[in-house]
Amino acid sequence: MWAGRFSKSLDQKADDFNSSISFDSRMYKQDITGSMAHASMLAKQGIIATEDCEKIIDGLAAILADIESGALEIDMGCEDIHMFVEAELTARIGDAGKKLHTARSRNDQVAVDIRLYMRDKSEEIIALLKELIEAVTEQAEANKGVILPGYTHLQRAQPITFGHHLMAYAMMFLRDISRIKVAIARMNYSPLGSCALAGTTYNTDRMFAAEKLGFDGITRNSIDGVSDRDFCLELMSDFSIVMMHLSRFSEEIILWSSWEFSFVELDDSFTTGSSIMPQKKNSDMAELVRGKTGRVYGNLMALLTTLKGLPLAYNKDMQEDKEAIFDSVDTVAICLEVFAPMIKTMKVKRENMYRAAQKGFINATDLADYLTKKGMPFRSAYKIVGQIVAECIEKNCVLDTLSLEEYKKHTDMFEADLFDEISLETCVSKRISAGGTSVGSVEEQIAYVKEELSK
Ligand code: ARG
């Protein structure tokens, strides 16, 4: 490829070290599509002849078809996918193939390819997120009235509905989608035609090629067009946030599946046994998702660090972007693919959730509210209820089983209606504030999410 300037070929080790084809070959389709648009632009502008353009486009289409059918194997001896496609084209169509690289450099070529590739992959991840949200919403709908303790500091706090808890995740994943969409929109400008860094002396029409490739416009500075990978960082940050959400969900599923909680049971098809302990049913999928969060964060850090301090414009360091970002998209995709059906098939142990809600004084806030509504300042009510809780702990009973007589010893504002006020059902059904835990509020949340998904 470097014929002319060099008299010796590259040392074998250095050649292997320099090569990226083992990982960038996955962009063959984007590389070919980008080249087709470039060839069309060259012909439209009269930079190459129409017959040459036709040969190039037919040749590229045949290469694409042959790669996809398996008839053509990508030659791992080439430096990268760009070199392979060009060499294969020239081998097939001769001199016309040598004209493709007019008014272009691998620097803008690779910058286009990654954008096209990431646009496709990000759309796939959005579709997977939607499937997960659907699974979560389905479970929320089926369990909208199921009462369990809500936690803060992992201490039982207030009664909530399981539908409410699940819909919290639906909201997070919905925001993940919108974050990725924003990143795609910001990335969707074509650097093609930036060439090596300075632009070109040919009379190109960058906008024409950009439109053919579905971009919203062109990058406005050719040095920036070939130098920056901020769009990779942005998507990798978005993917890291998806993983962070998934890992929190995973952690809860792992806890809920333990004997200690016993709130849910994962389907056999999403759990594993132990090679030695016959009783075990492990939530390996959730644990792996939690674990894989680390590598997605790591990829982001790796690329941030690679790009730090790089002088403009292209530097070979930037070839390191691909393994990091490819690993991130692969990891997020596989995690989502496993997670959605795992949630869909998860069995909810309603009785255990309810039993847990009966312990831990999670209706204490409601008891304090009861006194407050009768005219007692909240802080005074808070103190009295604290004393009552202490008394219950001592007597080994709960707020619901302490007698009215004993309540009255604290203040005669207590009446028999207190028991109804602090029942778990009341605690939940009265929390009708927007976004709250009552069945009605959860139904509104479900309707909102469904509406957003249909957009
Ligand atoms: N394989 C290279 C990469 O991924 C393509 C760009 C090469 N450009 C260059 N000036 N060596 O970054």
Side-chain angles (χ1 to χ4, degrees):
M1 266 293 172
W2 323 127
R5 170 75 173 80
F6 289 74
S7 54
K8 248 181 166 182
S9 59
L10 194 59
D11 170 84
Q12 190 53 52
K13 272 262 179 293
D15 191 28
D16 293 345
F17 182 64
N18 192 46
S19 161
S20 57
I21 196 155
S22 64
F23 48 86
D24 67 19
S25 58
R26 64 159 83 191
M27 299 194 302
Y28 68 85
K29 192 170 170 193
Q30 289 76 15
D31 193 73
I32 288 173
T33 317
S35 288
M36 285 174 165
H38 181 65
S40 304
M41 184 280 290
L42 291 177
K44 182 189 85 82
Q45 294 301 95
I47 300 168
I48 61 170
T50 312
E51 309 81 73
D52 284 337
C53 174
E54 279 164 8
K55 278 190 203 158
I56 291 173
I57 291 185
D58 291 348
L60 288 171
I63 292 173
L64 179 59
D66 289 351
I67 294 176
E68 304 218 300
S69 72
L72 173 63
E73 214 178 293
I74 295 175
D75 177 5
M76 290 295 150
C78 289
E79 185 186 324
D80 55 31
I81 188 64
H82 326 293
M83 296 294 225
F84 168 75
V85 172
E86 194 186 331
E88 179 65 25
L89 181 69
T90 304
R92 289 186 182 204
I93 66 167
D95 276 352
K98 295 183 186 166
K99 297 183 180 171
L100 172 62
H101 213 53
T102 315
R104 183 177 78 168
S105 149
R106 272 189 303 159
N107 296 351
D108 55 340
Q109 195 178 349
V110 71
V112 169
D113 292 4
I114 317 172
R115 279 172 163 87
L116 292 176
Y117 184 84
M118 288 314 297
R119 199 172 66 190
D120 293 346
K121 284 288 156 188
S122 302
E123 295 291 354
E124 281 176 37
I125 287 177
I126 288 176
L128 290 170
L129 275 165
K130 285 188 174 173
E131 278 173 36
L132 174 59
I133 296 172
E134 275 162 19
V136 171
T137 308
E138 216 171 274
Q139 279 285 10
E141 219 159 10
N143 295 286
K144 59 186 173 195
V146 174
I147 296 175
L148 79 162
Y151 295 79
T152 62
H153 312 269
L154 207 55
Q155 304 281 336
R156 288 175 189 165
Q158 290 178 341
I160 56 167
T161 53
F162 194 46
H164 190 212
H165 195 103
L166 289 173
M167 288 314 288
Y169 284 111
M171 301 297 171
M172 296 178 215
F173 295 130
L174 214 49
R175 281 197 301 280
D176 288 340
I177 291 180
S178 85
R179 245 186 299 272
I180 296 170
K181 281 186 178 169
V182 169
I184 296 176
R186 215 186 329 265
M187 166 178 76
N188 203 29
Y189 291 85
S190 171
L192 191 58
S194 298
C195 305
L197 77 163
T200 179
T201 54
Y202 293 96
N203 173 33
T204 52
D205 182 349
R206 290 185 57 202
M207 201 55 209
F208 175 83
E211 272 168 16
K212 269 196 168 308
L213 295 170
F215 286 110
D216 294 323
I218 57 169
T219 54
R220 297 285 173 163
N221 177 299
S222 60
I223 300 174
D224 171 51
V226 292
S227 300
D228 210 357
R229 295 291 183 267
D230 56 0
F231 60 92
C232 291
L233 295 173
E234 207 169 335
L235 283 169
M236 288 163 92
S237 311
D238 295 348
F239 298 149
S240 296
I241 295 173
V242 173
M243 291 305 296
M244 179 273 292
H245 287 149
L246 283 176
S247 78
R248 295 183 75 171
F249 206 169
S250 297
E251 171 67 13
E252 295 209 299
I253 287 167
I254 295 160
L255 281 173
W256 294 338
S257 308
S258 68
W259 276 112
E260 285 70 12
F261 275 82
S262 264
F263 283 0
V264 300
E265 185 176 346
L266 293 178
D267 194 75
D268 283 358
S269 50
F270 290 93
T271 47
T272 57
S274 152
S275 58
I276 171 168
M277 297 167 279
Q279 84 285 10
K280 295 266 276 178
K281 190 171 176 186
N282 298 330
S283 4
D284 284 28
M285 307 310 135
E287 290 167 40
L288 265 177
V289 169
R290 187 178 59 184
K292 284 179 188 291
T293 304
R295 65 195 281 167
V296 176
Y297 289 6
N299 290 333
L300 169 63
M301 263 306 137
L303 188 57
L304 273 170
T305 312
T306 298
L307 295 174
K308 176 189 175 295
L310 277 189
L312 301 180
Y314 178 85
N315 300 270
K316 190 77 173 194
D317 314 44
M318 289 158 69
Q319 181 165 285
E320 289 289 309
D321 58 357
K322 280 163 224 70
E323 281 162 295
I325 195 158
F326 293 163
D327 185 68
S328 285
V329 283
D330 292 349
T331 307
V332 176
I334 185 77
C335 289
L336 289 168
E337 277 166 33
V338 173
F339 217 87
M342 182 180 79
I343 295 297
K344 227 184 164 95
T345 54
M346 178 177 79
K347 219 176 82 198
V348 177
K349 296 175 163 175
R350 302 165 171 223
E351 305 74 34
N352 292 349
M353 288 184 173
Y354 193 78
R355 220 170 293 133
Q358 287 171 317
K359 294 175 211 146
F361 304 99
I362 62 178
N363 46 2
T365 314
D366 297 84
L367 187 59
D369 285 343
Y370 170 87
L371 291 176
T372 310
K373 280 176 193 155
K374 293 209 165 187
M376 188 182 283
F378 180 75
R379 274 291 156 237
S380 314
Y382 174 93
K383 191 172 172 200
I384 288 182
V385 173
Q387 287 160 352
I388 296 173
V389 167
E391 186 182 327
C392 286
I393 293 172
E394 203 174 293
K395 295 187 168 149
N396 196 21
C397 66
V398 292
L399 295 176
D400 314 66
T401 52
L402 193 72
S403 71
L404 183 57
E405 223 171 46
E406 283 163 307
Y407 269 112
K408 283 217 180 272
K409 282 184 201 154
H410 292 271
T411 163
D412 55 13
M413 283 171 113
F414 282 124
E415 309 281 354
D417 61 348
L418 82 90
F419 294 103
D420 192 41
E421 276 302 297
I422 64 167
S423 81
L424 292 176
E425 286 72 17
T426 311
C427 294
V428 161
S429 65
K430 282 207 163 170
R431 287 199 162 73
I432 51 168
S433 56
T437 208
S438 73
V439 173
S441 301
V442 172
E443 278 167 348
E444 277 170 24
Q445 296 163 40
I446 292 173
Y448 167 78
V449 166
K450 283 187 173 169
E451 171 71 28
E452 287 298 304
L453 281 185
S454 69
K455 280 181 188 168

